[in-house]
């Protein structure tokens, strides 16, 4: 077998960087870093005013800042894509086969419970901090798969699939957590209206409507109803997605067509804009000593320690007692490395952090900033540690040198 040339060896990292699954993660890192720099620069006031300055009075419309439009409006697209992905996986994907879903489902449940337990152990005793228990519970798919992408084919395909499925189940759990635990006072009238609109969308699918525009129109009305119901508005995105027909007509699936159309917008616009609006932490009131405060420490430890401990111990126990089989062609060291990567909780953790500590007062603002610090520190440590472990315990698979690759 011919040895790769010096040029081939030199360009491989750049090839890996710009692969689709890695570039999304790199983009999130860049956006978060840019937000941090701007939030602590001479234009920090302009940054804050851009996202938190009032557009109009709250009496005029509930979403009265750019930040609210992003978190309660634009992020509906993110949750809509999550809902499409979940439905597709449940019907025709990895979650449709019990033999394939049992291990990642068990691992995801343990990977949500253990970080919450670690957080509560470190921060739950402090007054007012209990609401942050779910912040370290979810895995950021784009960020984690981005790190995997940088490793090329070092990570075996079954382990990539395991990570992706765990992250999808995490998203399901996070959506349920938001709906159940971070819901404000409910309006029964608006809930009833939302139920009627949702029923209309279900009927559209049952009666074989093939045009997309009725679903889009109904989804917008559903979003408004949920927005005023007290349930977080982004839940409307998931509910609307579950009504999009999966069944193929004329060789095309509406769900898959919509998902394929929205994924690039979601990855390269929606999530980066959300990250830029939410990751900027003003460090002027936060010193190094604050990193050891219960809130950031609990969040960071939940992501770094809780995630890997919950997932790896669950997989090990489930395999040892014979409930499931270990992922094919994967070593325990590789499974441990991927378990560490699941501690990257950027997007969903930032989102839950905003919901956990609402309000405009200085105390709540400081709690949100400390939560963000914990998320960023925990996610970066998980990314670097997971990458380092996988880099050490894996090897490049032969298929990396694709003879059809023009660069090779």
């Amino acid at each position: 077998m011919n040895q790769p040339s010096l040029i081939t060896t030199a360009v491989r990292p750049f090839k890996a960087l710009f692969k689709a699954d890695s570039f999304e993660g790199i983009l999130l890192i860049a956006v978060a870093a840019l937000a941090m720099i701007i939030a602590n620069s001479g234009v920090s006031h302009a940054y804050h005013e851009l996202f938190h300055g009032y557009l109009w009075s709250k009496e005029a419309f509930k979403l009265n800042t750019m930040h609210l439009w992003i978190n309660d409006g634009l992020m509906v697209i993110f949750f809509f894509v999550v809902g499409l992905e979940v439905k597709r996986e449940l019907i025709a994907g990895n979650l449709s086969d019990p033999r394939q879903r049992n291990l990642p489902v068990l691992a995801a449940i343990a990977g949500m419970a253990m970080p919450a337990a670690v957080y509560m152990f470190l921060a739950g005793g402090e007054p007012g901090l209990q609401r942050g228990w779910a912040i370290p519970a979810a895995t950021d798919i784009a960020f984690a798969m981005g790190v995997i992408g940088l490793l090329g084919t070092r990570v075996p395909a079954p382990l990539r699939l395991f990570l992706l499925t765990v992250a999808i189940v995490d998203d399901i759990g996070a959506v349920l957590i938001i709906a159940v635990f971070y819901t404000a006072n409910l309006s029964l009238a608006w809930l009833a209206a939302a139920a009627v609109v949702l029923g209309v969308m279900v009927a559209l699918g049952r009666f074989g409507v093939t045009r997309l525009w009725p679903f889009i129109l109904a989804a917008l009305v559903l979003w408004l109803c949920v927005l005023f119901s007290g349930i977080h508005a982004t839940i409307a995105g998931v509910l609307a997605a579950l009504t999009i027909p999966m069944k193929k007509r004329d060789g095309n699936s509406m769900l898959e067509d919509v998902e394929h159309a929205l994924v690039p917008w979601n990855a390269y616009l929606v999530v980066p804009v959300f990250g830029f609006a939410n990751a900027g932490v003003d460090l002027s009131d936060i010193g190094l000593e604050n990193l050891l405060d219960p809130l950031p420490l609990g969040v960071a430890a939940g992501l770094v320690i809780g995630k890997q401990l919950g997932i790896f111990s669950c997989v090990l126990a489930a395999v040892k007692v014979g409930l499931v089989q270990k992922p094919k062609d994967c070593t325990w060291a590789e499974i441990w490395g991927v378990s560490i990567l699941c501690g990257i909780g950027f997007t969903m953790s930032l989102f839950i952090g905003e919901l956990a500590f609402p309000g405009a007062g200085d105390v709540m603002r400081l709690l949100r900033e400390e939560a963000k610090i914990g998320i960023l520190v925990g996610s970066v440590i998980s990314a670097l540690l997971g990458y380092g472990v996988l880099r050490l315990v894996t090897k490049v698979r032969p298929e990396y040198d694709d003879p059809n690759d023009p660069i090779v």
Side-chain angles (χ1 to χ4, degrees):
M1 181 178 177
N2 295 330
Q3 293 293 323
S5 68
L6 182 61
I7 295 178
T8 299
T9 302
V11 300
R12 274 179 178 169
F14 298 97
K15 288 171 60 183
L17 176 63
F18 290 102
K19 285 183 178 178
D21 57 354
S22 59
F23 185 69
E24 294 176 23
I26 297 299
L27 180 60
L28 283 181
I29 296 172
V31 164
L34 180 62
M36 289 286 290
I37 293 171
I38 292 177
N40 293 276
S41 70
V43 294
S44 60
H45 178 73
Y47 171 85
H48 183 271
E49 281 300 311
L50 173 64
F51 294 114
H52 297 279
Y54 287 106
L55 301 173
W56 45 71
S57 67
K58 190 167 184 178
E59 289 72 22
F61 189 64
K62 187 174 182 179
L63 305 185
N64 55 5
T65 67
M66 187 68 70
H67 186 262
L68 286 174
W69 271 106
I70 292 170
N71 284 25
D72 291 25
L74 188 65
M75 280 297 283
V76 174
I77 299 175
F78 170 81
F79 281 89
F80 184 77
V81 173
V82 168
L84 293 175
E85 186 175 34
V86 168
K87 182 172 181 177
R88 175 175 51 78
E89 291 291 335
L90 286 170
I91 294 176
N94 303 321
L95 298 178
S96 64
D97 185 350
R99 294 171 299 178
Q100 292 186 353
R101 70 170 176 246
N102 286 345
L103 178 59
V105 168
L106 289 173
I109 293 172
M112 298 185 80
M114 187 60 73
V118 170
Y119 174 89
M120 291 300 292
F121 176 77
L122 293 173
E126 297 292 322
L129 298 188
Q130 293 87 350
R131 283 180 56 84
W133 65 271
I135 295 175
T139 297
D140 190 289
I141 296 178
F143 212 145
M145 293 305 294
V147 176
I148 290 291
L150 292 175
L151 290 162
T153 57
R154 284 178 173 271
V155 181
L159 210 50
R160 289 170 177 257
L161 183 61
F162 171 78
L163 173 60
L164 183 61
T165 311
V166 167
I168 291 171
V169 177
D170 261 357
D171 280 344
I172 298 173
V175 169
L176 293 175
I177 287 171
I178 292 170
V180 175
F181 296 99
Y182 295 107
T183 293
N185 297 326
L186 294 177
S187 169
L188 295 181
W190 282 109
L191 274 178
V196 171
V197 176
L198 185 62
V200 169
M201 296 188 71
V202 172
L204 290 174
R206 291 291 179 87
F207 286 109
V209 175
T210 58
R211 297 294 184 90
L212 182 59
W213 69 264
F215 289 94
I216 295 176
L217 182 60
L220 291 173
V221 177
L222 178 64
W223 171 72
L224 280 173
C225 292
V226 174
L227 176 67
F228 289 103
S229 72
I231 298 175
H232 199 271
T234 51
I235 300 300
V238 178
L239 294 175
L242 296 179
T243 69
I244 303 299
M246 177 70 182
K247 185 178 179 181
K248 293 183 180 293
R249 295 185 180 91
D250 300 325
N252 296 315
S253 166
M254 183 187 294
L255 185 147
E256 292 179 349
D257 289 345
V258 173
E259 184 181 6
H260 292 159
L262 287 179
V263 162
W265 291 97
N266 189 53
Y268 302 122
L269 177 65
V270 175
V271 173
V273 168
F274 169 81
F276 184 70
N278 288 274
V281 180
D282 183 359
L283 300 177
S284 59
D285 296 328
I286 301 176
L288 292 176
E289 66 277 5
N290 292 105
L291 293 176
L292 298 179
D293 285 351
L295 178 54
L297 182 62
V299 171
L303 290 170
V304 177
I305 299 174
K307 271 292 184 181
Q308 61 172 301
L309 181 61
I311 292 174
F312 185 74
S313 61
C314 177
V315 174
L316 181 63
V319 171
K320 292 300 183 182
V321 300
L323 286 177
V324 295
Q325 292 184 338
K326 188 174 73 169
K328 186 179 179 181
D329 299 326
C330 302
T331 66
W332 285 114
E334 291 171 340
I335 294 173
W336 175 47
V338 167
S339 300
I340 298 173
L341 286 184
C342 289
I344 302 173
F346 186 79
T347 305
M348 196 67 80
S349 292
L350 285 175
F351 193 83
I352 295 176
E354 291 288 328
L355 299 179
F357 304 111
D362 290 339
V363 173
M364 284 300 178
R365 183 190 64 81
L366 180 60
L367 291 179
R368 288 194 297 271
E369 300 293 90
E370 287 196 336
K372 292 176 185 179
I373 289 292
I375 293 165
L376 295 173
V377 170
S379 295
V380 169
I381 292 176
S382 296
L384 294 176
L385 183 59
Y387 177 88
V389 169
L390 289 172
R391 184 79 183 182
L392 289 173
V393 303
T394 58
K395 59 183 180 180
V396 176
R397 266 65 179 178
E399 59 267 27
Y400 188 90
D401 295 316
D402 185 354
N404 297 318
D405 192 329
I407 295 182
V408 176

